Amino acid sequence: MGDFIRLLISVSEKASFIARVIRQDEELFSMLIEEKESLKKNETVVQDFKTFADVLIQETVRHDLSSLILGENIYGEESNLFTNNLGECVRVTVGETKEETRQIIRKVLGENSKAADILAEEVHRIVLIDDDEAFERIPCDLIDAYENLGIWIDPIDATSEYIKGRGHEEPESFDEEQFFSQGGLPCATVLIGVFQLDTGCPIIGVINQPFWKFSPMTNSWTGRHFWGISIGDRRISNLGILKLPDKVGPNVPVIMISESEDKSIQRKLSPHCRLVEAPGAGYKLLCVIIGLADFYIISKSSTHVWDTCAPHAILKSLGGGIEDLKEILEDSNNLSNHEISYSPDDSDRKALKYANTGGLFAYRNKTYGSLVLDYLKTD
């Protein structure tokens, strides 16, 4: 079991390396963006793009995890088709050798053989993960059958912020006192969530933040990762061994919201809570996970299962959860009975592109939970 967690973390680190390498070269990066087809778009945004980083990361994760998880049970947000500058549609896959992968990448990059060499090197990089104290608490027998496991991948959540590339050059994008990034590269995350196929229950999550800290000295970014396991009554994570900032400010609930959140929701909450806007469902959920915020509330159907599976598992490992907001409000604010499910065979959800149609109520613990939900019920 510990080896499986190491594999998940190592592939998230590899994804982080790929995201940084592709983002370093502005000229190269500008070639590697395309607008999604209409069937793949998030209908709540005017333009929805994917990058070659999204596609390459997703296929790298799929390749590296296929030794334990059946490929058909690994699900991603993106199609693995990418259109190059010549208008040719390339199916991106990871070969068994570095040279095979290099040739596939060259079909996308054209004559940029140097970039293809670098990216193929990153895809086939061996990433070693150092043990930490939390690994020692992982029992060997937590998982009986890997064939009952599925994976949801969001290769780069908050792709629009990844494309903008801001984060270190604009001081106003970072609330240093409160440790919130309110735009730019720090809001981009890699999300890998493991769930049980028979129950749809999220059990393991890894979140990688590739652009956590920027060094002006080296003109480069470093990242960080978080993981959690929640299987039965066993809850383990690396959150306890990390030195995280204490939440500062007034002793009122801090709630992460989207800039586009319904104004009536904001009016109900703002007199009683501190509302913090930030892009990226993964980043907003990360803020709840590390204790910067108490809740993440979204009333719209703009998140999907690939956005929430990994954070959900980590929150469960901490005693929290992610629930359907609409169902909670219709059930007298009863928490714990309306957890989001991740089954890919749910025909209703499949028809809705796996969107979380009832909105979300995410929490690390239930303190203030009922009170905040009461605010939402006021006229």
Side-chain angles (χ1 to χ4, degrees), residues 11 118 130 155 159 179 185 189 217 233 244-245 269 305 345 373:
V11 77
I118 293 171
D130 294 331
T159 301
F179 303 97
L185 289 170
T189 52
M217 295 289 293
D233 59 356
L244 300 172
L269 294 174
V305 291
D345 297 324
L373 291 168

Side-chain angles (χ1 to χ4, degrees), residues 53-63 74-80 153-155:
D54 289 284
V55 180
L56 187 60
I57 286 171
Q58 179 173 286
E59 295 311 305
T60 299
V61 173
R62 191 189 305 276
H63 174 269
I74 301 176
Y75 307 90
E77 177 185 4
E78 308 296 353
S79 160
N80 68 339
I153 309 163
D154 191 342

Side-chain angles (χ1 to χ4, degrees), residues 218-289:
T218 61
N219 194 36
S220 63
W221 289 89
T222 56
R224 59 177 176 174
H225 65 260
F226 303 92
W227 60 267
I229 304 169
S230 177
I231 303 177
D233 59 356
R234 304 303 294 267
R235 295 174 179 173
I236 308 160
S237 78
N238 70 332
L239 272 293
I241 64 169
L242 298 174
K243 294 181 179 179
L244 300 172
D246 293 328
K247 188 175 70 180
V248 297
N251 188 25
V252 297
V254 176
I255 302 177
M256 304 301 297
I257 62 169
S258 300
E259 184 180 3
S260 61
E261 182 55 72
D262 190 281
K263 297 304 179 186
S264 66
I265 297 286
Q266 296 190 47
R267 282 195 298 270
K268 291 175 181 180
L269 294 174
S270 57
H272 316 284
C273 313
R274 181 187 175 203
L275 304 182
V276 178
E277 296 179 1
Y283 178 73
K284 288 190 281 286
L285 286 164
L286 177 59
C287 288
V288 178
I289 286 168

